[in-house]
Amino acid sequence: MQAIIGGTGLYQLTGLTVTRRQVVRTPYGEPSGALTYGRIGDSDEIVFLARHGYGHTLAPHRINYRANLWALHEVGVRRIVSVATVGGIGDGYTPGRIVVPDQIIDYTHDRLHTFFEGGDQPVAHADMTLPYGAEMRADLLTAAEAAGIDVRDGGTYGCTQGPRLETAAEIRRMARDGCDVVGMTGMPEAALARELELDYGALCLITNDAAGQGASTGTISLDEIRNTVETTMQGIHAILGSLVNL
Ligand code: HPA
């Protein structure tokens, strides 16, 4: 079964016929909300979860990533698309564009980031050379093409701690590190998905130029982020609809 984890601006899926909802508890606590099951068109049943809660009450550092991933795995999910808004850093990573990233740098701290807590468990080191699942990335690109939505294939996602936005100097450093986009939720989500051997990919919607980048070096307004989300989220919906019906 496939799951979609929705980020900022994506609290429900266009065209989803909801079949049921399920509250799941996990050894790691509670997920961000109930799992919503449904179909888009003739698709198989899929699961949707709003990462920040259905009323967007959870800040990026307060999300229980472990509970979210565990709950999805527990109910039989093996593939996940993560949808997230990001700021653009690299050339061509401009507001309104959608990116299917292929690399991650983790700048977060103090997040519960692993299922391997020691004790009697053998030590495990999940391989993260390629942090996103190859199959899911390929399917996302195929789905975007089928939906006629232009997406950028590849890019490095830098994950910051939030909830504050970055300073211009932090973004300059991230640019030197090779980051193309910046967001706050990509990690530890991707690493936890890998620990559970899930095929995990991301669709990132660039909502703004990252701090100090782009034509305007002014400040980032939340209104700008909200406006871009509103005008460009339909592309994400189109890709998701196409993906689950591939
Ligand atoms: N920085 C971090 N996360 C974000 C941004 C940003 O500029 N825009 C949307 N999510």
Side-chain angles (χ1 to χ4, degrees), residues 59-243:
H61 65 298
R62 307 291 300 175
I63 291 165
N64 190 337
Y65 296 95
R66 294 198 301 181
N68 287 352
L69 276 285
W70 191 268
L72 292 172
H73 183 261
E74 183 82 358
V75 303
V77 166
R78 294 297 175 262
R79 284 160 59 85
I80 297 182
V81 186
S82 155
V83 180
T85 57
V86 293
I89 301 177
D91 278 350
Y93 293 82
T94 47
R97 289 211 74 185
I98 295 169
V99 182
V100 178
D102 63 348
Q103 276 298 330
I104 306 182
I105 299 179
D106 188 2
Y107 299 91
T108 67
H109 50 84
D110 302 325
R111 295 186 181 186
L112 295 168
H113 61 282
T114 180
F115 293 112
F116 299 117
E117 292 291 19
D120 291 339
Q121 277 179 312
V123 178
H125 301 286
D127 175 70
M128 283 288 277
T129 309
L130 301 173
Y132 296 103
E135 261 184 56
M136 183 51 96
R137 282 195 78 256
D139 285 352
L140 285 169
L141 296 170
T142 305
E145 200 175 345
I149 308 287
D150 175 49
V151 298
R152 177 93 184 216
D153 173 6
T156 298
Y157 176 115
C159 188
T160 57
Q161 175 73 356
R164 69 169 177 83
L165 290 159
E166 299 72 35
T167 66
E170 285 169 336
I171 293 296
R172 285 197 299 271
R173 179 179 74 156
M174 292 177 77
R176 286 195 299 275
D177 285 353
C179 294
D180 297 302
V181 295
V182 53
M184 301 177 188
T185 56
M187 288 292 271
E189 204 174 80
L192 292 166
R194 180 57 53 83
E195 286 189 354
L196 294 175
E197 298 180 2
L198 301 169
D199 188 11
Y200 174 93
L203 272 182
C204 295
L205 176 58
I206 304 176
T207 54
N208 57 283
D209 288 315
Q213 298 291 113
S216 131
T217 48
T219 53
I220 298 167
S221 86
L222 287 187
D223 280 346
E224 178 194 354
I225 294 183
R226 267 189 227 109
N227 285 342
T228 320
V229 166
E230 262 171 43
T231 51
T232 50
M233 192 55 91
Q234 71 212 42
I236 297 270
H237 284 289
I239 296 171
L240 293 174
S242 156
L243 176 82

Side-chain angles (χ1 to χ4, degrees), residues 42-61:
D42 294 330
S43 78
D44 291 338
E45 194 169 56
I46 59 164
V47 188
F48 178 77
L49 175 64
R51 184 187 287 115
H52 296 278
Y54 291 91
H56 200 126
T57 47
L58 293 168
H61 65 298

